[in-house]
Amino acid sequence: MAACHLRSISFPSRSHPLTVSIEEQLYKLKASQSSSIGHKLNGLKNLLECVDDLLQLPQAQQTLSPERQSQYVQNALNGSLELLDFCDSTRDFFSQMKERVQEFELSIRRRKGRDCGLTSEVDAYMASRKNLNKAICKCLKNLKKKERNCTTAVLDSNSDLLNMISMLRGVQAIGLVVFESILSFISEPKAKSVPTGWSVISKLLQTKRVSCEVEIEVNEAEKIDAELLILKSSKEISLSQLQNLLKELEAFESSIKEAEEELESIYRRLVKTRVSLLNILNH
């Protein structure tokens, strides 16, 4: 993951509650690599809410007013659109993943009570996962490229304008990092096809239990993939095995739905922030 270098914010003043809150949330998100998806998305949502509140201040509107427009301001505006697009893509990927899980659940329920294998159902699910993962990998490459481009450097000037721009670039940078991080929740490990052999299974068995606020080493999608490899190789599958698999799929689907709701909320906040920027620059 690309580094996200952030500078201290001094607009309107470091003692202003909104400025202090934004600065704190930026660094919390930067340090939250081991946090759960819900924690990251909630943190980003709160950060964007504070940013929009800051943009409503007369000082911010005066700083970004048309007579002070520059390439910095235009870049910040373009960055808000890029963040909105990546949020939309991430939201769409989670929606597609949910559909695949629901289709797989349905196919298993149709076979419920039968002791034959699940080869055809597993193969269909894995094939759909592979196709989705190709699109996710492409998005991740673009994310990494944008992360490098929006890394915030220390600016020589101490003007309010450049301090404000630095803050907006910092928000864009951390937003891209969050989207990249949560996409790993539904993508195959290391952007490769589903691992074969016992490597994932061994990793799964070695994983230690941790607090629900921290992601386990093997995410839910990878855990299910590992178990499917075992079931696929089984000639006979018991009813209890099918029931356990359905429970895990339902839990995974629930996690995806929760992330979808958070992403929808973040998307609305990104739209609001962009509208605020456009209103400031057009009046």
Side-chain angles (χ1 to χ4, degrees), residues 25-61:
Q25 291 183 62
L26 279 169
Y27 282 97
K28 282 182 181 179
L29 281 169
K30 180 184 176 184
S32 66
Q33 293 186 14
S34 62
S35 298
S36 66
I37 290 178
H39 181 81
K40 292 175 182 177
L41 291 175
N42 188 62
L44 181 58
K45 180 173 63 177
N46 292 337
L47 171 63
L48 293 171
E49 186 174 356
C50 287
V51 170
D52 192 67
D53 287 342
L54 183 66
L55 291 175
Q56 306 308 314
L57 295 178
Q59 303 99 306
Q61 295 176 8

mmCIF file of all heavy atoms in Angstrom, residues 25-61:
data_model
loop_
_atom_site.group_PDB
_atom_site.id
_atom_site.type_symbol
_atom_site.label_atom_id
_atom_site.label_comp_id
_atom_site.label_asym_id
_atom_site.label_seq_id
_atom_site.Cartn_x
_atom_site.Cartn_y
_atom_site.Cartn_z
ATOM 1 N N GLN A 25 -8.446 12.809 12.999
ATOM 2 C CA GLN A 25 -9.042 11.707 12.242
ATOM 3 C C GLN A 25 -8.169 11.265 11.080
ATOM 4 O O GLN A 25 -8.126 10.069 10.747
ATOM 5 C CB GLN A 25 -10.429 12.116 11.748
ATOM 6 C CG GLN A 25 -11.436 12.263 12.890
ATOM 7 C CD GLN A 25 -12.819 12.604 12.392
ATOM 8 O OE1 GLN A 25 -13.441 11.848 11.667
ATOM 9 N NE2 GLN A 25 -13.316 13.774 12.786
ATOM 10 N N LEU A 26 -7.467 12.205 10.469
ATOM 11 C CA LEU A 26 -6.540 11.837 9.396
ATOM 12 C C LEU A 26 -5.474 10.877 9.901
ATOM 13 O O LEU A 26 -5.189 9.850 9.283
ATOM 14 C CB LEU A 26 -5.884 13.093 8.810
ATOM 15 C CG LEU A 26 -6.691 13.882 7.778
ATOM 16 C CD1 LEU A 26 -6.020 15.220 7.498
ATOM 17 C CD2 LEU A 26 -6.834 13.085 6.494
ATOM 18 N N TYR A 27 -4.889 11.199 11.048
ATOM 19 C CA TYR A 27 -3.824 10.359 11.578
ATOM 20 C C TYR A 27 -4.348 9.047 12.141
ATOM 21 O O TYR A 27 -3.663 8.025 12.088
ATOM 22 C CB TYR A 27 -3.017 11.133 12.626
ATOM 23 C CG TYR A 27 -2.045 12.093 11.988
ATOM 24 C CD1 TYR A 27 -2.383 13.435 11.834
ATOM 25 C CD2 TYR A 27 -0.830 11.663 11.485
ATOM 26 C CE1 TYR A 27 -1.511 14.325 11.215
ATOM 27 C CE2 TYR A 27 0.039 12.541 10.861
ATOM 28 C CZ TYR A 27 -0.300 13.871 10.732
ATOM 29 O OH TYR A 27 0.553 14.744 10.109
ATOM 30 N N LYS A 28 -5.568 9.047 12.658
ATOM 31 C CA LYS A 28 -6.159 7.806 13.141
ATOM 32 C C LYS A 28 -6.393 6.849 11.979
ATOM 33 O O LYS A 28 -6.125 5.649 12.078
ATOM 34 C CB LYS A 28 -7.483 8.091 13.862
ATOM 35 C CG LYS A 28 -7.321 8.629 15.273
ATOM 36 C CD LYS A 28 -8.689 8.843 15.917
ATOM 37 C CE LYS A 28 -8.549 9.399 17.325
ATOM 38 N NZ LYS A 28 -9.885 9.633 17.952
ATOM 39 N N LEU A 29 -6.901 7.382 10.878
ATOM 40 C CA LEU A 29 -7.136 6.543 9.705
ATOM 41 C C LEU A 29 -5.823 6.043 9.118
ATOM 42 O O LEU A 29 -5.736 4.902 8.651
ATOM 43 C CB LEU A 29 -7.923 7.327 8.651
ATOM 44 C CG LEU A 29 -9.421 7.447 8.898
ATOM 45 C CD1 LEU A 29 -10.041 8.460 7.946
ATOM 46 C CD2 LEU A 29 -10.103 6.094 8.742
ATOM 47 N N LYS A 30 -4.832 6.888 9.140
ATOM 48 C CA LYS A 30 -3.528 6.485 8.625
ATOM 49 C C LYS A 30 -2.963 5.320 9.425
ATOM 50 O O LYS A 30 -2.309 4.423 8.877
ATOM 51 C CB LYS A 30 -2.554 7.671 8.675
ATOM 52 C CG LYS A 30 -1.158 7.330 8.154
ATOM 53 C CD LYS A 30 -0.225 8.512 8.330
ATOM 54 C CE LYS A 30 1.198 8.135 7.909
ATOM 55 N NZ LYS A 30 2.151 9.240 8.158
ATOM 56 N N ALA A 31 -3.248 5.305 10.721
ATOM 57 C CA ALA A 31 -2.690 4.277 11.607
ATOM 58 C C ALA A 31 -3.618 3.089 11.804
ATOM 59 O O ALA A 31 -3.325 2.200 12.603
ATOM 60 C CB ALA A 31 -2.366 4.899 12.966
ATOM 61 N N SER A 32 -4.734 3.041 11.061
ATOM 62 C CA SER A 32 -5.742 2.008 11.329
ATOM 63 C C SER A 32 -5.669 0.836 10.365
ATOM 64 O O SER A 32 -6.683 0.266 9.992
ATOM 65 C CB SER A 32 -7.137 2.619 11.262
ATOM 66 O OG SER A 32 -7.414 3.048 9.932
ATOM 67 N N GLN A 33 -4.473 0.442 9.956
ATOM 68 C CA GLN A 33 -4.331 -0.644 8.992
ATOM 69 C C GLN A 33 -4.919 -1.953 9.513
ATOM 70 O O GLN A 33 -5.362 -2.789 8.739
ATOM 71 C CB GLN A 33 -2.866 -0.832 8.616
ATOM 72 C CG GLN A 33 -2.291 0.340 7.840
ATOM 73 C CD GLN A 33 -0.878 0.081 7.355
ATOM 74 O OE1 GLN A 33 -0.400 -1.043 7.368
ATOM 75 N NE2 GLN A 33 -0.200 1.123 6.922
ATOM 76 N N SER A 34 -4.904 -2.166 10.827
ATOM 77 C CA SER A 34 -5.411 -3.419 11.382
ATOM 78 C C SER A 34 -6.850 -3.318 11.847
ATOM 79 O O SER A 34 -7.400 -4.264 12.389
ATOM 80 C CB SER A 34 -4.530 -3.855 12.559
ATOM 81 O OG SER A 34 -4.575 -2.894 13.601
ATOM 82 N N SER A 35 -7.473 -2.171 11.632
ATOM 83 C CA SER A 35 -8.847 -1.984 12.086
ATOM 84 C C SER A 35 -9.836 -2.714 11.188
ATOM 85 O O SER A 35 -9.528 -3.062 10.052
ATOM 86 C CB SER A 35 -9.191 -0.497 12.123
ATOM 87 O OG SER A 35 -8.366 0.195 13.031
ATOM 88 N N SER A 36 -11.033 -2.919 11.702
ATOM 89 C CA SER A 36 -12.075 -3.589 10.938
ATOM 90 C C SER A 36 -12.570 -2.675 9.822
ATOM 91 O O SER A 36 -12.358 -1.455 9.840
ATOM 92 C CB SER A 36 -13.235 -3.966 11.849
ATOM 93 O OG SER A 36 -13.867 -2.789 12.332
ATOM 94 N N ILE A 37 -13.253 -3.272 8.860
ATOM 95 C CA ILE A 37 -13.816 -2.504 7.748
ATOM 96 C C ILE A 37 -14.782 -1.451 8.268
ATOM 97 O O ILE A 37 -14.755 -0.291 7.839
ATOM 98 C CB ILE A 37 -14.535 -3.441 6.767
ATOM 99 C CG1 ILE A 37 -13.519 -4.294 6.017
ATOM 100 C CG2 ILE A 37 -15.369 -2.650 5.769
ATOM 101 C CD1 ILE A 37 -14.140 -5.271 5.075
ATOM 102 N N GLY A 38 -15.644 -1.860 9.192
ATOM 103 C CA GLY A 38 -16.613 -0.915 9.736
ATOM 104 C C GLY A 38 -15.949 0.272 10.404
ATOM 105 O O GLY A 38 -16.401 1.408 10.271
ATOM 106 N N HIS A 39 -14.849 0.005 11.122
ATOM 107 C CA HIS A 39 -14.120 1.088 11.800
ATOM 108 C C HIS A 39 -13.529 2.057 10.786
ATOM 109 O O HIS A 39 -13.599 3.283 10.960
ATOM 110 C CB HIS A 39 -13.016 0.491 12.668
ATOM 111 C CG HIS A 39 -12.218 1.513 13.424
ATOM 112 N ND1 HIS A 39 -12.659 2.073 14.609
ATOM 113 C CD2 HIS A 39 -11.020 2.095 13.160
ATOM 114 C CE1 HIS A 39 -11.763 2.941 15.046
ATOM 115 N NE2 HIS A 39 -10.762 2.973 14.179
ATOM 116 N N LYS A 40 -12.946 1.530 9.716
ATOM 117 C CA LYS A 40 -12.338 2.384 8.702
ATOM 118 C C LYS A 40 -13.389 3.230 7.983
ATOM 119 O O LYS A 40 -13.200 4.436 7.782
ATOM 120 C CB LYS A 40 -11.583 1.525 7.686
ATOM 121 C CG LYS A 40 -10.350 0.847 8.241
ATOM 122 C CD LYS A 40 -9.741 -0.079 7.209
ATOM 123 C CE LYS A 40 -8.529 -0.804 7.777
ATOM 124 N NZ LYS A 40 -7.956 -1.780 6.817
ATOM 125 N N LEU A 41 -14.485 2.588 7.593
ATOM 126 C CA LEU A 41 -15.522 3.319 6.874
ATOM 127 C C LEU A 41 -16.191 4.364 7.760
ATOM 128 O O LEU A 41 -16.494 5.467 7.301
ATOM 129 C CB LEU A 41 -16.568 2.342 6.337
ATOM 130 C CG LEU A 41 -16.103 1.425 5.203
ATOM 131 C CD1 LEU A 41 -17.197 0.432 4.838
ATOM 132 C CD2 LEU A 41 -15.675 2.228 3.987
ATOM 133 N N ASN A 42 -16.414 4.029 9.011
ATOM 134 C CA ASN A 42 -17.002 4.988 9.929
ATOM 135 C C ASN A 42 -16.067 6.174 10.158
ATOM 136 O O ASN A 42 -16.504 7.326 10.235
ATOM 137 C CB ASN A 42 -17.331 4.315 11.260
ATOM 138 C CG ASN A 42 -18.123 5.215 12.182
ATOM 139 O OD1 ASN A 42 -19.232 5.629 11.894
ATOM 140 N ND2 ASN A 42 -17.541 5.531 13.332
ATOM 141 N N GLY A 43 -14.752 5.881 10.252
ATOM 142 C CA GLY A 43 -13.775 6.949 10.419
ATOM 143 C C GLY A 43 -13.737 7.878 9.223
ATOM 144 O O GLY A 43 -13.664 9.105 9.367
ATOM 145 N N LEU A 44 -13.798 7.291 8.018
ATOM 146 C CA LEU A 44 -13.795 8.110 6.800
ATOM 147 C C LEU A 44 -15.072 8.941 6.716
ATOM 148 O O LEU A 44 -15.037 10.116 6.322
ATOM 149 C CB LEU A 44 -13.664 7.214 5.570
ATOM 150 C CG LEU A 44 -13.631 7.919 4.212
ATOM 151 C CD1 LEU A 44 -12.481 8.920 4.140
ATOM 152 C CD2 LEU A 44 -13.522 6.890 3.085
ATOM 153 N N LYS A 45 -16.182 8.352 7.093
ATOM 154 C CA LYS A 45 -17.468 9.074 7.070
ATOM 155 C C LYS A 45 -17.423 10.283 8.005
ATOM 156 O O LYS A 45 -17.847 11.388 7.631
ATOM 157 C CB LYS A 45 -18.585 8.119 7.472
ATOM 158 C CG LYS A 45 -19.969 8.746 7.476
ATOM 159 C CD LYS A 45 -21.040 7.682 7.720
ATOM 160 C CE LYS A 45 -20.877 7.047 9.080
ATOM 161 N NZ LYS A 45 -21.957 6.057 9.359
ATOM 162 N N ASN A 46 -16.913 10.084 9.207
ATOM 163 C CA ASN A 46 -16.818 11.187 10.165
ATOM 164 C C ASN A 46 -15.849 12.266 9.681
ATOM 165 O O ASN A 46 -16.088 13.462 9.879
ATOM 166 C CB ASN A 46 -16.351 10.656 11.523
ATOM 167 C CG ASN A 46 -17.391 9.782 12.194
ATOM 168 O OD1 ASN A 46 -18.577 9.895 11.902
ATOM 169 N ND2 ASN A 46 -16.953 8.897 13.066
ATOM 170 N N LEU A 47 -14.752 11.842 9.054
ATOM 171 C CA LEU A 47 -13.781 12.793 8.519
ATOM 172 C C LEU A 47 -14.423 13.668 7.451
ATOM 173 O O LEU A 47 -14.274 14.900 7.467
ATOM 174 C CB LEU A 47 -12.584 12.041 7.937
ATOM 175 C CG LEU A 47 -11.569 12.879 7.153
ATOM 176 C CD1 LEU A 47 -10.911 13.912 8.052
ATOM 177 C CD2 LEU A 47 -10.510 11.973 6.505
ATOM 178 N N LEU A 48 -15.152 13.052 6.531
ATOM 179 C CA LEU A 48 -15.787 13.811 5.451
ATOM 180 C C LEU A 48 -16.847 14.767 5.977
ATOM 181 O O LEU A 48 -17.037 15.858 5.434
ATOM 182 C CB LEU A 48 -16.408 12.837 4.442
ATOM 183 C CG LEU A 48 -15.416 11.977 3.651
ATOM 184 C CD1 LEU A 48 -16.151 10.915 2.845
ATOM 185 C CD2 LEU A 48 -14.555 12.844 2.742
ATOM 186 N N GLU A 49 -17.527 14.368 7.027
ATOM 187 C CA GLU A 49 -18.524 15.248 7.631
ATOM 188 C C GLU A 49 -17.864 16.503 8.212
ATOM 189 O O GLU A 49 -18.373 17.615 8.051
ATOM 190 C CB GLU A 49 -19.279 14.493 8.737
ATOM 191 C CG GLU A 49 -20.426 15.281 9.325
ATOM 192 C CD GLU A 49 -21.251 14.465 10.301
ATOM 193 O OE1 GLU A 49 -20.967 13.260 10.461
ATOM 194 O OE2 GLU A 49 -22.169 15.030 10.910
ATOM 195 N N CYS A 50 -16.710 16.321 8.853
ATOM 196 C CA CYS A 50 -15.981 17.459 9.411
ATOM 197 C C CYS A 50 -15.451 18.363 8.302
ATOM 198 O O CYS A 50 -15.452 19.594 8.437
ATOM 199 C CB CYS A 50 -14.816 16.966 10.275
ATOM 200 S SG CYS A 50 -15.311 16.270 11.855
ATOM 201 N N VAL A 51 -14.996 17.764 7.213
ATOM 202 C CA VAL A 51 -14.483 18.546 6.084
ATOM 203 C C VAL A 51 -15.582 19.420 5.502
ATOM 204 O O VAL A 51 -15.367 20.608 5.216
ATOM 205 C CB VAL A 51 -13.912 17.618 4.998
ATOM 206 C CG1 VAL A 51 -13.610 18.407 3.719
ATOM 207 C CG2 VAL A 51 -12.643 16.941 5.491
ATOM 208 N N ASP A 52 -16.769 18.837 5.325
ATOM 209 C CA ASP A 52 -17.870 19.635 4.773
ATOM 210 C C ASP A 52 -18.278 20.752 5.731
ATOM 211 O O ASP A 52 -18.598 21.858 5.292
ATOM 212 C CB ASP A 52 -19.072 18.739 4.475
ATOM 213 C CG ASP A 52 -20.114 19.465 3.639
ATOM 214 O OD1 ASP A 52 -19.832 19.788 2.470
ATOM 215 O OD2 ASP A 52 -21.213 19.734 4.167
ATOM 216 N N ASP A 53 -18.249 20.461 7.042
ATOM 217 C CA ASP A 53 -18.546 21.514 8.025
ATOM 218 C C ASP A 53 -17.517 22.641 7.930
ATOM 219 O O ASP A 53 -17.860 23.829 8.053
ATOM 220 C CB ASP A 53 -18.531 20.932 9.442
ATOM 221 C CG ASP A 53 -19.743 20.055 9.727
ATOM 222 O OD1 ASP A 53 -20.742 20.163 8.977
ATOM 223 O OD2 ASP A 53 -19.690 19.249 10.676
ATOM 224 N N LEU A 54 -16.274 22.267 7.692
ATOM 225 C CA LEU A 54 -15.214 23.268 7.561
ATOM 226 C C LEU A 54 -15.432 24.133 6.322
ATOM 227 O O LEU A 54 -15.208 25.349 6.355
ATOM 228 C CB LEU A 54 -13.848 22.581 7.486
ATOM 229 C CG LEU A 54 -12.625 23.491 7.425
ATOM 230 C CD1 LEU A 54 -12.484 24.278 8.733
ATOM 231 C CD2 LEU A 54 -11.361 22.687 7.159
ATOM 232 N N LEU A 55 -15.897 23.499 5.246
ATOM 233 C CA LEU A 55 -16.135 24.237 4.005
ATOM 234 C C LEU A 55 -17.296 25.224 4.116
ATOM 235 O O LEU A 55 -17.445 26.105 3.271
ATOM 236 C CB LEU A 55 -16.398 23.259 2.851
ATOM 237 C CG LEU A 55 -15.207 22.413 2.403
ATOM 238 C CD1 LEU A 55 -15.640 21.414 1.336
ATOM 239 C CD2 LEU A 55 -14.062 23.285 1.890
ATOM 240 N N GLN A 56 -18.110 25.073 5.146
ATOM 241 C CA GLN A 56 -19.219 26.009 5.348
ATOM 242 C C GLN A 56 -18.777 27.263 6.093
ATOM 243 O O GLN A 56 -19.528 28.249 6.146
ATOM 244 C CB GLN A 56 -20.352 25.335 6.144
ATOM 245 C CG GLN A 56 -20.855 24.020 5.551
ATOM 246 C CD GLN A 56 -21.224 24.129 4.082
ATOM 247 O OE1 GLN A 56 -21.898 25.069 3.667
ATOM 248 N NE2 GLN A 56 -20.769 23.156 3.293
ATOM 249 N N LEU A 57 -17.565 27.246 6.642
ATOM 250 C CA LEU A 57 -17.079 28.417 7.376
ATOM 251 C C LEU A 57 -16.776 29.566 6.416
ATOM 252 O O LEU A 57 -16.243 29.350 5.330
ATOM 253 C CB LEU A 57 -15.811 28.068 8.157
ATOM 254 C CG LEU A 57 -15.937 27.037 9.285
ATOM 255 C CD1 LEU A 57 -14.561 26.777 9.901
ATOM 256 C CD2 LEU A 57 -16.913 27.529 10.354
ATOM 257 N N PRO A 58 -17.091 30.787 6.807
ATOM 258 C CA PRO A 58 -16.792 31.953 5.957
ATOM 259 C C PRO A 58 -15.312 32.033 5.591
ATOM 260 O O PRO A 58 -14.976 32.408 4.469
ATOM 261 C CB PRO A 58 -17.219 33.140 6.827
ATOM 262 C CG PRO A 58 -18.266 32.569 7.730
ATOM 263 C CD PRO A 58 -17.815 31.180 8.035
ATOM 264 N N GLN A 59 -14.431 31.678 6.542
ATOM 265 C CA GLN A 59 -12.985 31.741 6.260
ATOM 266 C C GLN A 59 -12.611 30.806 5.109
ATOM 267 O O GLN A 59 -11.826 31.167 4.232
ATOM 268 C CB GLN A 59 -12.163 31.367 7.497
ATOM 269 C CG GLN A 59 -12.437 32.224 8.717
ATOM 270 C CD GLN A 59 -13.378 31.525 9.671
ATOM 271 O OE1 GLN A 59 -14.460 31.106 9.291
ATOM 272 N NE2 GLN A 59 -12.957 31.402 10.929
ATOM 273 N N ALA A 60 -13.176 29.596 5.132
ATOM 274 C CA ALA A 60 -12.864 28.629 4.077
ATOM 275 C C ALA A 60 -13.398 29.110 2.736
ATOM 276 O O ALA A 60 -12.719 29.002 1.709
ATOM 277 C CB ALA A 60 -13.455 27.269 4.424
ATOM 278 N N GLN A 61 -14.599 29.648 2.726
ATOM 279 C CA GLN A 61 -15.197 30.119 1.485
ATOM 280 C C GLN A 61 -14.431 31.308 0.915
ATOM 281 O O GLN A 61 -14.263 31.421 -0.306
ATOM 282 C CB GLN A 61 -16.659 30.485 1.740
ATOM 283 C CG GLN A 61 -17.500 29.274 2.130
ATOM 284 C CD GLN A 61 -18.926 29.622 2.483
ATOM 285 O OE1 GLN A 61 -19.356 30.765 2.311
ATOM 286 N NE2 GLN A 61 -19.676 28.641 2.965
#
